[in-house]
mmCIF file of all heavy atoms in Angstrom:
data_model
loop_
_atom_site.group_PDB
_atom_site.id
_atom_site.type_symbol
_atom_site.label_atom_id
_atom_site.label_comp_id
_atom_site.label_asym_id
_atom_site.label_seq_id
_atom_site.Cartn_x
_atom_site.Cartn_y
_atom_site.Cartn_z
ATOM 1 N N LYS Y 32 38.788 8.110 6.738
ATOM 2 C CA LYS Y 32 40.194 8.243 6.327
ATOM 3 C C LYS Y 32 40.774 6.853 6.022
ATOM 4 O O LYS Y 32 40.333 5.860 6.610
ATOM 5 C CB LYS Y 32 41.032 8.839 7.473
ATOM 6 C CG LYS Y 32 40.711 10.279 7.852
ATOM 7 C CD LYS Y 32 41.487 11.252 6.990
ATOM 8 C CE LYS Y 32 41.130 12.698 7.122
ATOM 9 N NZ LYS Y 32 39.975 13.172 7.788
ATOM 10 N N PRO Y 33 41.799 6.800 5.157
ATOM 11 C CA PRO Y 33 42.483 5.525 4.937
ATOM 12 C C PRO Y 33 43.045 5.006 6.261
ATOM 13 O O PRO Y 33 43.462 5.806 7.105
ATOM 14 C CB PRO Y 33 43.633 5.874 3.981
ATOM 15 C CG PRO Y 33 43.345 7.223 3.438
ATOM 16 C CD PRO Y 33 42.417 7.904 4.385
ATOM 17 N N GLY Y 34 43.020 3.705 6.439
ATOM 18 C CA GLY Y 34 43.545 3.095 7.667
ATOM 19 C C GLY Y 34 42.454 2.766 8.669
ATOM 20 O O GLY Y 34 42.660 1.953 9.573
ATOM 21 N N MET Y 35 41.299 3.417 8.540
ATOM 22 C CA MET Y 35 40.184 3.100 9.447
ATOM 23 C C MET Y 35 39.565 1.769 9.045
ATOM 24 O O MET Y 35 39.532 1.432 7.864
ATOM 25 C CB MET Y 35 39.080 4.164 9.344
ATOM 26 C CG MET Y 35 39.393 5.457 10.044
ATOM 27 S SD MET Y 35 38.144 6.677 9.610
ATOM 28 C CE MET Y 35 37.006 6.450 10.945
ATOM 29 N N THR Y 36 39.025 1.054 10.019
ATOM 30 C CA THR Y 36 38.264 -0.149 9.668
ATOM 31 C C THR Y 36 36.812 0.268 9.437
ATOM 32 O O THR Y 36 36.355 1.300 9.945
ATOM 33 C CB THR Y 36 38.301 -1.208 10.787
ATOM 34 O OG1 THR Y 36 37.592 -0.703 11.925
ATOM 35 C CG2 THR Y 36 39.724 -1.556 11.168
ATOM 36 N N THR Y 37 36.094 -0.566 8.700
ATOM 37 C CA THR Y 37 34.679 -0.242 8.463
ATOM 38 C C THR Y 37 33.891 -0.355 9.767
ATOM 39 O O THR Y 37 32.874 0.298 9.943
ATOM 40 C CB THR Y 37 34.079 -1.143 7.361
ATOM 41 O OG1 THR Y 37 34.267 -2.518 7.699
ATOM 42 C CG2 THR Y 37 34.722 -0.863 6.017
ATOM 43 N N TRP Y 38 34.407 -1.166 10.701
ATOM 44 C CA TRP Y 38 33.767 -1.279 12.010
ATOM 45 C C TRP Y 38 33.839 0.057 12.764
ATOM 46 O O TRP Y 38 32.856 0.488 13.377
ATOM 47 C CB TRP Y 38 34.430 -2.389 12.836
ATOM 48 C CG TRP Y 38 33.800 -2.617 14.170
ATOM 49 C CD1 TRP Y 38 32.683 -3.359 14.424
ATOM 50 C CD2 TRP Y 38 34.244 -2.077 15.426
ATOM 51 N NE1 TRP Y 38 32.400 -3.314 15.774
ATOM 52 C CE2 TRP Y 38 33.339 -2.544 16.412
ATOM 53 C CE3 TRP Y 38 35.309 -1.258 15.814
ATOM 54 C CZ2 TRP Y 38 33.470 -2.210 17.758
ATOM 55 C CZ3 TRP Y 38 35.444 -0.918 17.153
ATOM 56 C CH2 TRP Y 38 34.523 -1.402 18.108
ATOM 57 N N GLU Y 39 35.001 0.724 12.668
ATOM 58 C CA GLU Y 39 35.146 2.037 13.315
ATOM 59 C C GLU Y 39 34.146 3.055 12.738
ATOM 60 O O GLU Y 39 33.555 3.836 13.481
ATOM 61 C CB GLU Y 39 36.569 2.581 13.132
ATOM 62 C CG GLU Y 39 37.631 1.880 13.961
ATOM 63 C CD GLU Y 39 39.025 2.430 13.652
ATOM 64 O OE1 GLU Y 39 39.402 3.433 14.268
ATOM 65 O OE2 GLU Y 39 39.706 1.859 12.783
ATOM 66 N N VAL Y 40 33.979 3.027 11.426
ATOM 67 C CA VAL Y 40 33.040 3.956 10.788
ATOM 68 C C VAL Y 40 31.615 3.661 11.269
ATOM 69 O O VAL Y 40 30.834 4.572 11.555
ATOM 70 C CB VAL Y 40 33.140 3.868 9.240
ATOM 71 C CG1 VAL Y 40 32.149 4.826 8.580
ATOM 72 C CG2 VAL Y 40 34.560 4.164 8.770
ATOM 73 N N ASP Y 41 31.318 2.386 11.378
ATOM 74 C CA ASP Y 41 30.003 1.963 11.867
ATOM 75 C C ASP Y 41 29.755 2.507 13.284
ATOM 76 O O ASP Y 41 28.671 3.024 13.579
ATOM 77 C CB ASP Y 41 29.942 0.432 11.866
ATOM 78 C CG ASP Y 41 28.639 -0.109 12.421
ATOM 79 O OD1 ASP Y 41 27.657 -0.120 11.658
ATOM 80 O OD2 ASP Y 41 28.604 -0.498 13.596
ATOM 81 N N GLN Y 42 30.765 2.413 14.127
ATOM 82 C CA GLN Y 42 30.628 2.881 15.513
ATOM 83 C C GLN Y 42 30.396 4.395 15.564
ATOM 84 O O GLN Y 42 29.557 4.877 16.337
ATOM 85 C CB GLN Y 42 31.894 2.531 16.322
ATOM 86 C CG GLN Y 42 32.109 1.044 16.494
ATOM 87 C CD GLN Y 42 30.959 0.373 17.224
ATOM 88 O OE1 GLN Y 42 30.675 0.682 18.376
ATOM 89 N NE2 GLN Y 42 30.243 -0.512 16.546
ATOM 90 N N ILE Y 43 31.135 5.122 14.730
ATOM 91 C CA ILE Y 43 30.982 6.584 14.690
ATOM 92 C C ILE Y 43 29.565 6.943 14.226
ATOM 93 O O ILE Y 43 28.892 7.789 14.820
ATOM 94 C CB ILE Y 43 32.038 7.212 13.743
ATOM 95 C CG1 ILE Y 43 33.448 7.031 14.333
ATOM 96 C CG2 ILE Y 43 31.740 8.693 13.501
ATOM 97 C CD1 ILE Y 43 34.579 7.395 13.368
ATOM 98 N N ALA Y 44 29.117 6.274 13.177
ATOM 99 C CA ALA Y 44 27.782 6.559 12.629
ATOM 100 C C ALA Y 44 26.700 6.243 13.655
ATOM 101 O O ALA Y 44 25.746 7.020 13.837
ATOM 102 C CB ALA Y 44 27.560 5.747 11.354
ATOM 103 N N GLU Y 45 26.853 5.118 14.320
ATOM 104 C CA GLU Y 45 25.849 4.721 15.325
ATOM 105 C C GLU Y 45 25.762 5.775 16.430
ATOM 106 O O GLU Y 45 24.668 6.191 16.826
ATOM 107 C CB GLU Y 45 26.216 3.355 15.920
ATOM 108 C CG GLU Y 45 25.255 2.934 17.021
ATOM 109 C CD GLU Y 45 25.496 1.515 17.531
ATOM 110 O OE1 GLU Y 45 25.771 0.612 16.716
ATOM 111 O OE2 GLU Y 45 25.386 1.319 18.746
ATOM 112 N N GLN Y 46 26.929 6.219 16.908
ATOM 113 C CA GLN Y 46 26.956 7.209 17.979
ATOM 114 C C GLN Y 46 26.337 8.527 17.532
ATOM 115 O O GLN Y 46 25.560 9.144 18.269
ATOM 116 C CB GLN Y 46 28.400 7.406 18.467
ATOM 117 C CG GLN Y 46 28.486 7.988 19.864
ATOM 118 C CD GLN Y 46 27.645 7.202 20.885
ATOM 119 O OE1 GLN Y 46 27.794 5.990 21.032
ATOM 120 N NE2 GLN Y 46 26.726 7.882 21.568
ATOM 121 N N LEU Y 47 26.657 8.939 16.307
ATOM 122 C CA LEU Y 47 26.097 10.194 15.776
ATOM 123 C C LEU Y 47 24.570 10.120 15.733
ATOM 124 O O LEU Y 47 23.877 11.055 16.150
ATOM 125 C CB LEU Y 47 26.633 10.458 14.364
ATOM 126 C CG LEU Y 47 28.054 11.005 14.258
ATOM 127 C CD1 LEU Y 47 28.555 10.892 12.815
ATOM 128 C CD2 LEU Y 47 28.107 12.459 14.719
ATOM 129 N N MET Y 48 24.054 9.019 15.235
ATOM 130 C CA MET Y 48 22.596 8.883 15.137
ATOM 131 C C MET Y 48 21.955 8.916 16.516
ATOM 132 O O MET Y 48 20.939 9.587 16.724
ATOM 133 C CB MET Y 48 22.232 7.591 14.400
ATOM 134 C CG MET Y 48 22.402 7.717 12.903
ATOM 135 S SD MET Y 48 21.754 6.286 12.005
ATOM 136 C CE MET Y 48 23.208 5.280 11.889
ATOM 137 N N LYS Y 49 22.572 8.214 17.465
ATOM 138 C CA LYS Y 49 22.013 8.190 18.825
ATOM 139 C C LYS Y 49 22.058 9.578 19.456
ATOM 140 O O LYS Y 49 21.100 10.006 20.111
ATOM 141 C CB LYS Y 49 22.769 7.171 19.676
ATOM 142 C CG LYS Y 49 22.420 5.732 19.300
ATOM 143 C CD LYS Y 49 23.135 4.726 20.180
ATOM 144 C CE LYS Y 49 22.700 3.300 19.843
ATOM 145 N NZ LYS Y 49 23.592 2.304 20.466
ATOM 146 N N ASN Y 50 23.174 10.283 19.233
ATOM 147 C CA ASN Y 50 23.292 11.645 19.778
ATOM 148 C C ASN Y 50 22.215 12.572 19.223
ATOM 149 O O ASN Y 50 21.827 13.542 19.870
ATOM 150 C CB ASN Y 50 24.666 12.237 19.465
ATOM 151 C CG ASN Y 50 25.785 11.556 20.237
ATOM 152 O OD1 ASN Y 50 25.531 10.788 21.167
ATOM 153 N ND2 ASN Y 50 27.022 11.813 19.837
ATOM 154 N N LEU Y 51 21.763 12.265 18.018
ATOM 155 C CA LEU Y 51 20.732 13.104 17.381
ATOM 156 C C LEU Y 51 19.325 12.563 17.656
ATOM 157 O O LEU Y 51 18.355 12.953 17.016
ATOM 158 C CB LEU Y 51 21.006 13.183 15.873
ATOM 159 C CG LEU Y 51 22.315 13.912 15.499
ATOM 160 C CD1 LEU Y 51 22.737 13.599 14.066
ATOM 161 C CD2 LEU Y 51 22.168 15.426 15.688
ATOM 162 N N GLY Y 52 19.235 11.654 18.603
ATOM 163 C CA GLY Y 52 17.925 11.164 19.042
ATOM 164 C C GLY Y 52 17.297 10.125 18.138
ATOM 165 O O GLY Y 52 16.083 9.895 18.189
ATOM 166 N N ALA Y 53 18.126 9.491 17.332
ATOM 167 C CA ALA Y 53 17.585 8.490 16.398
ATOM 168 C C ALA Y 53 18.131 7.098 16.709
ATOM 169 O O ALA Y 53 19.117 6.945 17.417
ATOM 170 C CB ALA Y 53 17.940 8.871 14.965
ATOM 171 N N ILE Y 54 17.487 6.118 16.141
ATOM 172 C CA ILE Y 54 17.902 4.723 16.262
ATOM 173 C C ILE Y 54 18.440 4.295 14.895
ATOM 174 O O ILE Y 54 17.808 4.584 13.871
ATOM 175 C CB ILE Y 54 16.689 3.836 16.644
ATOM 176 C CG1 ILE Y 54 16.164 4.225 18.020
ATOM 177 C CG2 ILE Y 54 17.036 2.357 16.573
ATOM 178 C CD1 ILE Y 54 14.778 3.651 18.311
ATOM 179 N N PRO Y 55 19.602 3.635 14.859
ATOM 180 C CA PRO Y 55 20.075 3.088 13.580
ATOM 181 C C PRO Y 55 19.164 1.929 13.168
ATOM 182 O O PRO Y 55 19.233 0.852 13.748
ATOM 183 C CB PRO Y 55 21.491 2.594 13.884
ATOM 184 C CG PRO Y 55 21.777 2.934 15.301
ATOM 185 C CD PRO Y 55 20.499 3.274 15.984
ATOM 186 N N ALA Y 56 18.296 2.174 12.202
ATOM 187 C CA ALA Y 56 17.224 1.218 11.904
ATOM 188 C C ALA Y 56 17.711 -0.045 11.212
ATOM 189 O O ALA Y 56 17.005 -1.055 11.192
ATOM 190 C CB ALA Y 56 16.156 1.901 11.050
ATOM 191 N N GLU Y 57 18.919 0.006 10.648
ATOM 192 C CA GLU Y 57 19.396 -1.198 9.955
ATOM 193 C C GLU Y 57 19.820 -2.286 10.939
ATOM 194 O O GLU Y 57 19.802 -3.468 10.614
ATOM 195 C CB GLU Y 57 20.544 -0.835 9.007
ATOM 196 C CG GLU Y 57 20.035 -0.014 7.824
ATOM 197 C CD GLU Y 57 21.123 0.390 6.848
ATOM 198 O OE1 GLU Y 57 22.315 0.288 7.181
ATOM 199 O OE2 GLU Y 57 20.761 0.842 5.745
ATOM 200 N N LYS Y 58 20.214 -1.862 12.140
ATOM 201 C CA LYS Y 58 20.704 -2.841 13.121
ATOM 202 C C LYS Y 58 19.571 -3.792 13.525
ATOM 203 O O LYS Y 58 18.540 -3.356 14.030
ATOM 204 C CB LYS Y 58 21.254 -2.132 14.350
ATOM 205 C CG LYS Y 58 22.104 -3.048 15.209
ATOM 206 C CD LYS Y 58 22.920 -2.273 16.219
ATOM 207 C CE LYS Y 58 24.181 -3.024 16.572
ATOM 208 N NZ LYS Y 58 25.121 -2.205 17.312
ATOM 209 N N GLY Y 59 19.791 -5.070 13.286
ATOM 210 C CA GLY Y 59 18.787 -6.070 13.620
ATOM 211 C C GLY Y 59 17.669 -6.175 12.604
ATOM 212 O O GLY Y 59 16.724 -6.949 12.788
ATOM 213 N N TYR Y 60 17.770 -5.400 11.519
ATOM 214 C CA TYR Y 60 16.717 -5.436 10.499
ATOM 215 C C TYR Y 60 16.588 -6.845 9.934
ATOM 216 O O TYR Y 60 17.567 -7.467 9.545
ATOM 217 C CB TYR Y 60 17.032 -4.442 9.383
ATOM 218 C CG TYR Y 60 16.054 -4.503 8.234
ATOM 219 C CD1 TYR Y 60 14.776 -3.975 8.363
ATOM 220 C CD2 TYR Y 60 16.399 -5.108 7.029
ATOM 221 C CE1 TYR Y 60 13.871 -4.037 7.318
ATOM 222 C CE2 TYR Y 60 15.498 -5.184 5.983
ATOM 223 C CZ TYR Y 60 14.233 -4.642 6.137
ATOM 224 O OH TYR Y 60 13.339 -4.712 5.102
ATOM 225 N N ASN Y 61 15.373 -7.326 9.930
ATOM 226 C CA ASN Y 61 15.111 -8.676 9.449
ATOM 227 C C ASN Y 61 14.236 -8.622 8.205
ATOM 228 O O ASN Y 61 13.070 -8.273 8.282
ATOM 229 C CB ASN Y 61 14.419 -9.487 10.554
ATOM 230 C CG ASN Y 61 14.381 -10.949 10.213
ATOM 231 O OD1 ASN Y 61 14.447 -11.340 9.044
ATOM 232 N ND2 ASN Y 61 14.279 -11.775 11.240
ATOM 233 N N PRO Y 62 14.814 -8.953 7.061
ATOM 234 C CA PRO Y 62 14.038 -8.846 5.820
ATOM 235 C C PRO Y 62 12.982 -9.934 5.685
ATOM 236 O O PRO Y 62 12.177 -9.903 4.771
ATOM 237 C CB PRO Y 62 15.108 -8.975 4.732
ATOM 238 C CG PRO Y 62 16.202 -9.760 5.361
ATOM 239 C CD PRO Y 62 16.176 -9.445 6.834
ATOM 240 N N GLY Y 63 13.012 -10.909 6.640
ATOM 241 C CA GLY Y 63 11.997 -11.960 6.593
ATOM 242 C C GLY Y 63 12.200 -12.938 5.454
ATOM 243 O O GLY Y 63 11.251 -13.526 4.958
ATOM 244 N N ILE Y 64 13.459 -13.093 5.038
ATOM 245 C CA ILE Y 64 13.772 -14.078 3.992
ATOM 246 C C ILE Y 64 14.458 -15.257 4.664
ATOM 247 O O ILE Y 64 15.387 -15.067 5.449
ATOM 248 C CB ILE Y 64 14.690 -13.461 2.910
ATOM 249 C CG1 ILE Y 64 14.032 -12.221 2.287
ATOM 250 C CG2 ILE Y 64 15.022 -14.498 1.828
ATOM 251 C CD1 ILE Y 64 14.981 -11.360 1.487
ATOM 252 N N LYS Y 65 13.987 -16.441 4.352
ATOM 253 C CA LYS Y 65 14.535 -17.642 4.986
ATOM 254 C C LYS Y 65 16.045 -17.747 4.753
ATOM 255 O O LYS Y 65 16.522 -17.566 3.645
ATOM 256 C CB LYS Y 65 13.842 -18.891 4.404
ATOM 257 C CG LYS Y 65 13.419 -19.875 5.490
ATOM 258 C CD LYS Y 65 12.829 -21.140 4.892
ATOM 259 C CE LYS Y 65 13.506 -22.328 5.502
ATOM 260 N NZ LYS Y 65 13.433 -23.519 4.666
ATOM 261 N N GLY Y 66 16.769 -17.997 5.833
ATOM 262 C CA GLY Y 66 18.214 -18.172 5.703
ATOM 263 C C GLY Y 66 19.004 -16.874 5.789
ATOM 264 O O GLY Y 66 20.222 -16.912 5.859
ATOM 265 N N VAL Y 67 18.322 -15.736 5.747
ATOM 266 C CA VAL Y 67 19.028 -14.450 5.859
ATOM 267 C C VAL Y 67 19.000 -13.992 7.316
ATOM 268 O O VAL Y 67 17.927 -13.773 7.880
ATOM 269 C CB VAL Y 67 18.400 -13.362 4.946
ATOM 270 C CG1 VAL Y 67 19.142 -12.040 5.092
ATOM 271 C CG2 VAL Y 67 18.416 -13.819 3.493
ATOM 272 N N PRO Y 68 20.173 -13.847 7.952
ATOM 273 C CA PRO Y 68 20.198 -13.428 9.355
ATOM 274 C C PRO Y 68 19.842 -11.949 9.479
ATOM 275 O O PRO Y 68 19.999 -11.200 8.520
ATOM 276 C CB PRO Y 68 21.661 -13.652 9.736
ATOM 277 C CG PRO Y 68 22.427 -13.506 8.457
ATOM 278 C CD PRO Y 68 21.515 -14.003 7.369
ATOM 279 N N PRO Y 69 19.351 -11.509 10.658
ATOM 280 C CA PRO Y 69 19.102 -10.084 10.863
ATOM 281 C C PRO Y 69 20.385 -9.303 10.595
ATOM 282 O O PRO Y 69 21.477 -9.818 10.862
ATOM 283 C CB PRO Y 69 18.713 -9.981 12.339
ATOM 284 C CG PRO Y 69 18.352 -11.348 12.767
ATOM 285 C CD PRO Y 69 19.074 -12.309 11.867
#
Side-chain angles (χ1 to χ4, degrees):
K32 294 274 172 347
M35 284 171 93
T36 67
T37 55
W38 183 82
E39 287 177 86
V40 179
D41 177 80
Q42 295 300 298
I43 293 170
E45 177 174 319
Q46 201 52 54
L47 282 166
M48 282 188 268
K49 287 182 176 167
N50 291 348
L51 294 163
I54 296 166
E57 290 180 346
K58 196 166 208 168
Y60 175 74
N61 192 336
I64 302 165
K65 226 184 129 203
V67 179

